[in-house]
Amino acid sequence: MSLGLTLAILGAALAVFIAGIGSATGIGLAGQAASGVMTEDPSKFGIIIPLAALPGTQGIYGFLSGFLVILKLGLLGGQIIQPTVQQGWQIMFACFPVAFAGLVSGIHQGKVCASGIYMVAKQPKDMTKPLVMGALVETYAVLGLLATVLLLNGIKL
Amino acid sequence: MAIAPVKRMEVLLPKDELEGFVSYLQELGVAQLDPLPYEELELSSSPAEVADYERWLTRINHVIQNLPELEPKKGLEKLLTPKAKYSASLRKVLLDYGYQKVVEDYEELEARRAQLVQHIKQMEREKEFLIPLTALNVPLRSLTGLNRCLVKIAEVKTEDIESLKENLADQPASISIISTEKNLAYVLIIYHQSLREEVEAIFSGYKLAFISLDHYLLKLKGDEKVSDLIAELEQQKSQAKEEIGKLEKDMSGFAVHRPSLMAVYDVLLNEKQKLVGTSLAGLTEKTAWLAGWVPAAQTDYLVRKVNQFSPTIYLNLRDPKPEERDEVPVILDNPQLIKPFEVVTSLYGLPLPGGIDPTIFLAPFFFVFVGMCISEAGYGLVMSLLSLLYLKKAEPKGGTRLFMTLFFYLGISNMIFGTLFGGWFGFPIKPLVLIDPIENPIPYLILSLALGFIQVMLSTFLSLVKDFREGNKVTAIAVKGGWLLLLPSLLFYFLLKQPPVLGILALIGAAGIVFFSSPSRNILARFFNGLYALYGITSYFSDTLSYSRILALGLSTGVIAMVVNSLVQIAWSFPFVGWIIGILIFAGGHLFNLAIGLLGGFVHSMRLQFVEFFGRFYESGGKPFKPVKLENKYIEFIR
């Protein structure tokens, strides 16, 4: 396997697992809060679950970027494209925005959602407001994804 | 339009008609009642005595929650069953049902059951206590009433037994082990009364826990042994269980009362609400004064109905006075087609009375954005079908109805934009696809930003209207108009090979902003403050860029749908079971993607409205209109 291909695959792997760490930590935080609230009132499950699930999107964005790289390299069957070393570095760097924006925003979104869950516990009618708060944090993961997609799209193999 | 006009309602009526009138208002459901400044008007008021009703409501609710349904329905079927309908005029009749007796009888059975459950627990504890002593194969009676000897049963640590035995060996005492269990042993110790002190001194050297059987000794009938006691406990227990079974059968027999109790609950709930309404009246010796609000569109109806109801009621409807403006409740009034989007506005908060209702402006954008964010026609079809099914079957009312209708719309939006920019469950219909964001993200990004720019411009225009209405007419036109002129001119200036006309227009707009932004009289201060205001262009820039999320979110749903399908393809090639796994992955994967995509698409489209769109012009803080009406929890009242 050429170095170029290896670097590109490393990029895909970084995008998936670094953003995944962000989401896993975020959902971990929100999930703890959710379970805490549900020990008092299990009937809140339905309105809490969107808040606990919201920090999960970073992982999905990372996975999605990784998948785009896989598609680009033709790893899903058919002819595997052999990028040059430079193209390999390019693909790897293109994966950085989604990976690191996802890592940090996932953790912080988890915190915002956790406090949102405490808010919903006291005021179940206001459930969309914490969701919008969470979306404020998520913007930067979305922008990271956007940059990665545009960069990947710009790299011609 | 947009915010419906509201009239102030004032009613004078004889005191003895008050209760009937409030009850009638509940049936009409068009008027809101407000508290009055009683002391200022030298009126008395009566507090609502609702404690009695509340107690009954809790008791009835408890019975309803615990009774099984007559015809048990599961999950989806239960969700899709509409509430039972009752005529509103039957309310009084429903109260004659004798619910008190039913509830009391049920509670009695319940209390008896709780007692038996407690008793069984008690017996189980006793059994546990007696089981180690089963090996004591003598009648219990023989352990008491000895003339010279004392008999003790004790718990000893197994490791202490040998030394205890040794110590007791030279005393007139005997020790025998009844049973051992793990590291504890139960022992029977018999010793002579004359040496009691010596023997007990030896005991104190060990951690002995003496077990008293006095409780049983008192109840002995004959020569029972411990095993007989246990058998008796068992028998009592099974009797109690049998009785519980009978009680539970009796209790489930109460299920026939469930529908009626549900109706009674709602009637009582409204009786309570009526008292609350009545307590809002200001009272003199013989008359009552009620005040509140009625939507202007309903005034004729209300006047007609009140005249029919009683000739002795004086009803006055007038426009709100300026000093009452803050009290006026806000009712959004939009065409049927737009109405579901009021959900989005209400989530942020209703507009102030006299403000702008943003619903009609956000509706088309919200519709398009959700469609573009999810961009999956198959999911749209599922959403629309599910919400339609719910609307038709469960016949929801009020907020739920609006919300489900909104979902139905968003499903349609997805079918349209999913076909144009995505696919059906991950399979694009190639000839119908306008832009494929996976192959070609740039045009999709430009489309998202263009829509964003239009909405940002619309919000600027609405803020111009707002400023203009509030009186700063020149500033509104010069500054907000300046932005409206500057930004599009600047944009097209760079897009269209820099035609000078657009450059001049942009400069005129900029001049408006620079010279009118600051209210200062000092020309220099005015100029430099104006230059600083021009720096606000960054906020327009960042707001517009924020709409790029539409591309990212649209892409994510589409790609995940593709991933699901390629997994299905891989699974399909497994021998024999491939198709089952394939179908499972297809259903599960797409359901997951639908849930995540919908959450993201809905929340982010909402955020675009709340942050990017509302930021420039919208002020919330209006009070919602809350008419006195027939509330319902379990049933529905119809005319």
Side-chain angles (χ1 to χ4, degrees):
Chain A
M1 196 186 274
S2 73
L3 180 58
L5 187 60
T6 311
L7 288 171
I9 290 175
L10 178 59
L14 286 175
V16 178
F17 91 76
I18 294 188
I21 291 173
S23 267
T25 318
I27 294 197
L29 290 167
Q32 285 171 4
S35 307
V37 167
M38 278 186 294
T39 49
E40 286 271 312
D41 184 2
S43 69
K44 291 223 163 73
F45 182 71
I47 56 171
I48 281 176
I49 201 76
L51 273 169
L54 201 58
T57 41
Q58 281 84 350
I60 292 174
Y61 296 156
F63 171 73
L64 152 71
S65 309
F67 187 78
L68 287 178
V69 175
I70 291 170
L71 271 188
K72 206 171 176 68
L73 298 173
L75 290 173
L76 269 190
Q79 191 66 33
I80 296 180
I81 295 166
Q82 298 289 343
T84 64
V85 174
Q86 264 160 2
Q87 284 169 337
W89 280 114
Q90 287 166 3
I91 289 178
M92 195 174 105
F93 283 131
C95 290
F96 276 20
V98 77
F100 293 107
L103 173 66
V104 179
S105 75
I107 295 169
H108 283 282
Q109 194 174 23
K111 291 178 184 167
V112 172
C113 286
S115 42
I117 285 167
Y118 294 134
M119 181 185 152
V120 172
K122 294 206 167 162
Q123 287 152 9
K125 279 192 175 166
D126 277 344
M127 77 148 300
T128 48
K129 283 165 191 159
L131 272 178
V132 174
M133 283 299 148
L136 293 184
V137 185
E138 185 165 305
T139 302
Y140 304 97
V142 174
L143 293 181
L145 169 66
L146 197 65
T148 297
V149 168
L150 293 178
L151 288 170
L152 283 177
N153 189 57
I155 299 168
K156 296 279 176 278
L157 295 183
Chain B
M1 215 190 69
I3 296 180
V6 174
K7 299 262 186 193
R8 179 76 175 166
M9 171 185 80
E10 280 156 345
V11 186
L12 280 174
L13 71 166
K15 208 166 159 181
D16 50 357
E17 279 184 41
L18 178 63
E19 227 181 280
F21 180 67
V22 175
S23 172
Y24 189 63
L25 279 183
Q26 282 184 313
E27 267 175 55
L28 296 180
V30 296
Q32 173 180 327
L33 291 178
D34 278 356
L36 290 159
Y38 306 100
E39 283 177 15
E40 228 172 273
L41 298 170
E42 293 177 7
L43 293 170
S44 65
S45 68
S46 60
E49 277 160 20
V50 292
D52 210 27
Y53 281 116
E54 270 166 6
R55 221 168 297 131
W56 274 110
L57 285 172
T58 329
R59 287 170 75 179
I60 296 176
N61 200 30
H62 173 77
V63 178
I64 294 175
Q65 296 297 333
N66 285 293
L67 277 182
E69 281 167 56
L70 262 190
E71 300 152 13
K73 292 183 175 114
K74 287 209 181 114
L76 202 61
E77 202 191 346
K78 191 172 176 180
L79 198 67
L80 292 179
T81 316
K83 290 174 176 171
K85 292 184 179 61
Y86 288 84
S87 170
S89 51
L90 281 178
R91 268 152 45 228
K92 286 273 180 271
V93 184
L94 282 168
L95 284 187
D96 294 339
Y97 177 68
Y99 62 91
Q100 294 95 332
K101 177 97 176 70
V102 174
V103 171
E104 275 160 9
D105 287 354
Y106 184 86
E107 283 171 347
E108 205 172 295
L109 292 179
E110 212 178 29
R112 176 77 189 123
R113 185 181 63 172
Q115 221 176 13
L116 284 173
V117 169
Q118 201 53 40
H119 191 197
I120 287 180
K121 273 190 197 151
Q122 165 74 25
M123 286 193 280
E124 271 164 4
R125 276 198 295 273
E126 276 184 36
K127 201 177 130 192
E128 248 167 60
F129 170 76
L130 287 177
I131 277 178
L133 307 179
T134 330
L136 196 65
N137 206 5
V138 291
L140 283 177
R141 178 178 287 177
S142 61
L143 299 179
T144 59
L146 299 178
N147 282 336
R148 306 239 156 73
C149 286
L150 287 168
V151 181
K152 287 263 162 94
I153 296 172
E155 235 178 67
V156 199
K157 284 190 183 164
T158 30
E159 66 220 42
D160 293 341
I161 286 186
E162 284 310 311
S163 77
L164 184 64
K165 268 185 179 170
E166 270 170 38
N167 279 327
L168 286 176
D170 48 357
Q171 300 285 351
S174 111
I175 175 165
S176 50
I177 298 173
I178 304 169
S179 64
T180 47
E181 115 186 335
K182 282 186 198 158
N183 48 1
L184 276 183
Y186 296 87
V187 293
L188 181 72
I189 307 168
I190 306 175
Y191 53 97
H192 201 266
Q193 242 170 3
S194 60
L195 287 164
R196 185 177 173 172
E197 279 172 22
E198 285 86 343
V199 174
E200 285 179 2
I202 295 173
F203 288 164
S204 62
Y206 300 90
K207 280 183 184 161
L208 291 185
F210 292 102
I211 294 169
S212 158
L213 291 176
D214 294 353
H215 171 64
Y216 299 98
L217 295 173
L218 286 176
K219 288 197 294 187
L220 285 178
K221 290 191 207 93
D223 292 337
E224 289 104 328
K225 299 174 184 169
V226 173
S227 53
D228 297 327
L229 288 180
I230 292 179
E232 201 189 314
L233 279 178
E234 278 300 322
Q235 199 203 343
Q236 280 180 10
K237 216 171 87 178
S238 67
Q239 262 175 10
K241 279 194 174 150
E242 207 174 302
E243 201 178 338
I244 287 182
K246 260 190 227 156
L247 283 175
E248 279 180 348
K249 207 172 148 216
D250 287 352
M251 282 159 79
S252 64
F254 276 70
V256 284
H257 298 296
R258 196 168 184 270
S260 319
L261 284 180
M262 283 157 79
V264 169
Y265 181 92
D266 278 12
V267 174
L268 284 181
L269 181 68
N270 285 307
E271 287 298 300
K272 185 192 120 190
Q273 290 306 107
K274 182 181 79 184
L275 275 192
V276 173
T278 318
S279 73
L280 290 173
L283 303 173
T284 64
E285 201 175 317
K286 285 203 175 122
T287 54
W289 181 6
L290 280 170
W293 305 95
V294 186
Q298 307 275 16
T299 48
D300 289 347
Y301 173 73
L302 182 68
V303 170
R304 200 172 67 240
K305 282 287 175 182
V306 170
N307 286 340
Q308 274 174 21
F309 181 68
S310 161
T312 49
I313 292 176
Y314 166 77
L315 174 72
N316 180 34
L317 295 161
R318 59 169 170 79
D319 287 325
K321 290 179 192 156
E323 68 266 24
E324 290 168 342
R325 251 194 66 168
D326 292 344
E327 304 297 317
V328 181
V330 172
I331 310 168
L332 299 182
D333 178 26
N334 287 290
Q336 211 54 39
L337 192 68
I338 305 289
K339 207 159 185 56
F341 292 92
E342 286 174 6
V343 171
V344 182
T345 309
S346 321
L347 281 175
Y348 186 85
L350 289 173
L352 290 172
I356 300 172
D357 173 15
T359 309
I360 198 163
F361 304 108
L362 70 82
F365 289 101
F366 191 76
F367 181 78
V368 174
F369 290 164
V370 173
M372 285 177 71
C373 281
I374 307 177
S375 67
E376 190 21 88
Y379 300 175
L381 186 67
V382 173
M383 277 163 68
S384 286
L385 284 182
L386 285 183
S387 39
L388 200 63
L389 185 71
Y390 186 75
L391 282 171
K392 288 278 168 230
K393 286 279 174 183
E395 302 170 23
K397 290 277 167 335
T400 324
R401 180 174 195 85
L402 280 187
F403 203 79
M404 292 319 286
T405 321
L406 181 66
F407 257 63
F408 175 68
Y409 282 0
L410 298 180
I412 291 180
S413 159
N414 265 302
M415 285 196 265
I416 299 171
F417 294 100
T419 311
L420 293 179
F421 306 120
W424 290 75
F425 297 109
F427 298 107
I429 304 174
K430 281 270 161 24
L432 293 178
V433 175
L434 265 188
I435 306 169
D436 178 359
I438 299 173
E439 295 283 312
N440 234 346
I442 304 298
Y444 202 67
L445 178 63
I446 293 172
L447 178 65
S448 314
L449 293 182
L451 286 171
F453 186 71
I454 294 171
Q455 199 177 25
V456 169
M457 285 297 95
L458 180 61
S459 78
T460 315
F461 176 72
L462 291 173
S463 80
L464 187 157
V465 174
K466 175 175 161 263
D467 286 0
F468 192 83
R469 275 205 207 161
E470 281 170 7
N472 328 319
K473 295 197 168 52
V474 180
T475 323
I477 290 175
V479 177
K480 298 288 155 67
W483 284 116
L484 282 173
L485 194 62
L486 169 65
L487 294 169
S489 318
L490 208 58
L491 180 69
F492 285 106
Y493 181 73
F494 288 114
L495 287 180
L496 304 171
K497 295 181 187 132
Q498 311 178 348
V501 188
L502 287 178
I504 293 164
L505 283 179
L507 284 179
I508 295 174
I513 300 162
V514 170
F515 290 108
F516 289 92
S517 284
S518 161
S520 171
R521 287 241 179 116
N522 181 334
I523 291 291
L524 273 180
R526 209 177 160 114
F527 179 71
F528 285 109
N529 276 334
L531 277 186
Y532 179 71
L534 205 54
Y535 180 69
I537 196 167
T538 51
S539 82
Y540 290 89
F541 189 67
S542 64
D543 282 356
T544 308
L545 281 187
S546 182
Y547 288 80
S548 63
R549 76 186 66 230
I550 297 172
L551 162 66
L553 291 166
L555 251 173
S556 77
T557 332
V559 173
I560 303 279
M562 245 170 69
V563 173
V564 171
N565 288 347
S566 30
L567 286 180
V568 170
Q569 237 172 11
I570 294 168
W572 206 261
S573 57
F574 295 166
F576 308 119
V577 289
W579 61 277
I580 302 181
I581 300 176
I583 289 174
L584 285 180
I585 295 179
F586 186 83
H590 281 299
L591 203 64
F592 168 78
N593 194 21
L594 169 64
I596 290 288
L598 183 63
L599 175 64
F602 193 79
V603 169
H604 279 279
S605 305
M606 209 153 70
R607 174 231 143 99
L608 285 176
Q609 309 308 316
F610 290 174
V611 180
E612 272 76 19
F613 185 53
F614 282 180
R616 293 211 158 66
F617 70 95
Y618 185 58
E619 276 178 300
S620 68
K623 290 182 187 147
F625 176 65
K626 286 183 190 147
V628 283
K629 60 176 184 193
L630 291 174
E631 311 273 347
N632 45 37
K633 178 165 175 177
Y634 291 114
I635 62 163
E636 194 187 322
F637 289 109
I638 48 173
R639 294 270 165 80

